[in-house]
Amino acid sequence: MLWGKREQYYLWITAYIPLFLIMVYRFIDSLNLFGNLKNIINFLTKPILELIVVLSIVMFSYWMYKIMINWLLKAEINNLENGIGEKFAIRNIKKLSPNDYTFFLFTLLLPLFSLDYGSFLNLLISLLIIGLVIIIYVKTDFISICPLFFTTGYHVYRAIISQYPKEKEREDPSVRIEAIIISKKKYLDLDDNYRAVQLVSNIYLIVKV
C-alpha cells in the first residue's frame, strides 16, 4: 500500500527531533533557567549539564526513530513476509553517494551555527524554515535520504529492478525500473529474487524471496 503524505510528514518531523530539542534547549539556556538547577545540584557544572542534555537528546531521538520506523513499516513488512507484493529481480545496484545527503545535513547543521537562540524570534524563524524544508521533502516524495532508515538498520540503494526475464528486457529496455530500494540486508545478491512493495513514487521496500 502506498504511503500518503501523512506518513511522510511523520517520518520527517521525527527526523528533525534532535534539531528541535537542541534549539529549544539553547533557547531555555539563554534565559538562564538551568542556572537555578545548577544551584540546587552543586556538582552540576555547565559542561556536565550539556553532556547530560546531549546524551539524553541522542537516546530519546534514537528511541523515537525506532518506534516511528517500526510503526510506519509494520504493515508493509508483514505483507512482504506473508507473500504479498510484487516479485522483482535486481539488475544493477549501488549505494547512495554522500552528496545525496548534503541538503539534509545542511538544513540540520546550519540553524545550529547561524542563529542566536537567545531570541524567541530566531527560534521561531528556524522552526518555520525547518517546517518549509519538511513540506518540500513531502511534496517531492523525497524520503530516500531520511536518517530514520540508516540509523535503524535499513540500507538504501539506487537500483535497476525488473519483473520480467532478461530476454524481454533486451527486446524492451523500458520495462526496467530505476528505483530506490530499502532493505534490511546490507548485501543484496543480483542472482536472488526479491519481493517488493512500493512506498512512494519510485521507492520500494524489499525482502528476499
Side-chain angles (χ1 to χ4, degrees), residues 30-123:
S30 71
L31 301 179
N32 201 33
L33 297 182
F34 291 111
N36 297 328
L37 179 61
K38 287 184 291 184
N39 291 333
I40 297 173
I41 307 175
N42 294 327
F43 69 87
L44 200 60
T45 62
K46 184 66 176 289
I48 293 177
L49 175 62
E50 291 186 341
L51 178 62
I52 292 173
V53 169
V54 169
L55 291 177
S56 299
I57 289 175
V58 169
M59 289 187 293
F60 176 76
S61 299
Y62 180 71
W63 178 65
M64 287 300 299
Y65 280 18
K66 293 279 286 187
I67 289 176
M68 183 57 66
I69 205 68
N70 288 337
W71 177 64
L72 288 175
L73 296 180
K74 181 179 180 180
E76 284 76 10
I77 291 175
N78 286 339
N79 287 339
L80 291 172
E81 291 178 346
N82 291 325
I84 300 174
E86 300 292 340
K87 288 186 178 180
F88 287 89
I90 300 175
R91 302 306 187 201
N92 184 274
I93 188 171
K94 63 180 179 180
K95 292 183 178 180
L96 297 184
S97 72
N99 291 336
D100 291 315
Y101 296 96
T102 300
F103 184 67
F104 172 75
L105 293 175
F106 181 76
T107 61
L108 189 67
L109 298 176
L110 183 62
L112 294 179
F113 299 106
S114 60
L115 293 176
D116 175 16
Y117 289 100
S119 165
F120 177 76
L121 179 61
N122 286 345
L123 176 63

Side-chain angles (χ1 to χ4, degrees), residues 111 115 124-134:
L115 293 176
L124 181 60
I125 290 173
S126 293
L127 292 176
L128 290 174
I129 291 173
I130 297 303
L132 178 61
V133 169
I134 290 175

